[in-house]
Amino acid sequence: MTVLTVEHTTVYRYAQPVQFQDHRMMCRPRDSHDLRLLETGLSISPAANVRWLHDVFGNSIAIASFVEPASELSFVSSFRAEHFPSGPVNLSLEEFARFLPFTYSSQEMADLGRTTERHYPDPDRRVDLWAKPFARQEGDPETLDVLNAINIAIRDQFSYARREEMGVQTPVETLDKGTGSCRDFAVFMMEAVRSLGLAARFVSGYLYDQNLMGADVGVVGGGATHAWVQVYLPGAGWVEFDPTNALFGGHNLIRVAVARDASQAVPLAGSYTGAAEDYVGMTVDVKVTVA
């Protein structure tokens, strides 16, 4: 068990006071058997009315509505939690799912739905061509071995580059450029495993390095929100894979939001009324401390 504290600060600055429209936040981690929230906090300036809801995936969403204009907008979300990650050795797949290919049961398939479908254009099937060799080993390829090989290959074959721009690269763009951010790699792995008939979903949250007491060294993608993938495996459920760092099992990962696509798991989104040139810039700072 690990006790950790996360403080996430986002500040937007403008050349003159502007009027803010509603902002949508995904900042509260998902309580579960492997994560128990001990304390949460949310501070917004200028003052806002905040209402909470659950989206279609069960994520906690905060909607902030503003009255007063301002030249600076800041959000500080924080939480303290106990993390009980289960390691890969605890995974137990159903016998029929131990080897690829396999077919989900009709009951599971009805609910997995579009998480098994490809979401990005790939007319030449380049992602398929990249992924298929991992499942064409001699004999019957074990499902976890294939997924681990894909997870490691993305870390080894592509260069990590932190990007501040909104949105994600398409998987084909990631192949062409040979580089991407954590969310680009998560989208690429989702499409790769979906090409093998597996269900996958996008995860947004935080990454910490327990051995380094929260320092942003040793693992890549700290210092901001992080993104990775869950793959649904019968008997084991949704299993975490972080292709940015080739992590498996969610030991260093704190889930905040899960979604079918990256566009549905944006940590903070909103707009303002004013001229485009009024926007000066933004800063993001994430502090993760392991007790």
Side-chain angles (χ1 to χ4, degrees):
M1 184 266 289
T2 301
V3 177
L4 65 150
T5 301
V6 174
E7 183 178 271
H8 183 166
T9 303
T10 304
V11 180
Y12 298 91
R13 294 182 174 85
Y14 303 86
Q16 60 182 335
V18 297
Q19 183 62 52
F20 304 110
Q21 305 305 312
D22 285 359
H23 279 60
R24 181 180 187 271
M25 293 163 284
M26 306 178 84
C27 56
R28 181 186 174 91
R30 295 172 64 99
D31 295 86
S32 182
H33 60 272
D34 60 355
L35 182 75
R36 184 166 75 93
L37 285 176
L38 304 175
E39 183 180 352
T40 65
L42 177 61
S43 175
I44 304 173
S45 179
N49 295 316
V50 179
R51 62 187 176 92
W52 291 86
L53 57 92
H54 287 106
D55 69 5
V56 69
F57 304 106
N59 302 308
S60 290
I61 309 294
I63 307 293
S65 301
F66 300 88
V67 175
E68 298 180 358
S71 58
E72 183 173 289
L73 175 62
S74 70
F75 300 87
V76 181
S77 64
S78 61
F79 65 87
R80 189 166 64 91
E82 291 178 334
H83 193 207
F84 305 85
S86 57
V89 294
N90 296 322
L91 294 181
S92 179
L93 274 62
E94 296 284 356
E95 187 63 28
F96 76 88
R98 284 185 54 210
F99 302 94
L100 289 175
F102 67 83
T103 303
Y104 294 112
S105 69
S106 58
Q107 292 90 345
E108 289 179 328
M109 196 63 190
D111 293 313
L112 292 172
R114 295 202 63 200
T115 60
T116 63
E117 297 176 9
R118 301 284 293 276
H119 285 37
Y120 295 83
D122 183 13
D124 297 322
R125 314 301 289 184
R126 293 180 58 195
V127 175
D128 301 60
L129 293 173
W130 184 90
K132 295 296 185 186
F134 294 99
R136 289 176 179 162
Q137 307 163 16
E138 291 186 11
D140 295 323
E142 290 209 22
T143 303
L144 285 176
D145 289 344
V146 171
L147 291 172
N148 269 317
I150 290 174
N151 200 33
I152 294 169
I154 295 172
R155 192 270 315 270
D156 291 346
Q157 294 181 20
F158 299 95
S159 300
Y160 173 79
R162 184 169 175 174
R163 292 193 303 109
E164 300 298 339
E165 300 88 352
M166 293 291 291
V168 296
Q169 297 174 171
T170 69
V172 172
E173 287 177 318
T174 299
L175 275 174
D176 287 337
K177 295 178 179 179
T179 185
S181 66
C182 58
R183 61 186 186 274
D184 299 323
F185 295 157
V187 167
F188 183 86
M189 183 167 181
M190 282 199 306
E191 292 291 275
V193 302
R194 284 169 176 169
S195 76
L196 301 178
L198 299 174
R201 62 187 185 182
F202 185 91
V203 190
S204 177
Y206 298 100
L207 168 71
Y208 69 94
D209 189 335
Q210 186 176 19
N211 295 323
L212 297 170
M213 304 298 285
D216 187 16
V217 181
V219 292
V220 177
T225 52
H226 192 56
W228 60 97
V229 180
Q230 288 181 335
V231 181
Y232 187 77
L233 302 175
W238 290 103
V239 180
E240 320 271 352
F241 294 89
D242 175 13
T244 301
N245 296 287
L247 297 176
F248 165 42
H251 189 75
N252 298 66
L253 304 169
I254 303 296
R255 292 183 304 278
V256 171
V258 299
R260 172 176 49 81
D261 185 64
S263 62
Q264 301 165 311
V266 178
L268 176 59
S271 60
Y272 69 92
T273 300
E277 56 268 24
D278 289 339
Y279 176 69
V280 175
M282 67 174 290
T283 57
V284 178
D285 181 52
V286 175
K287 295 184 174 67
V288 182
T289 305
V290 180

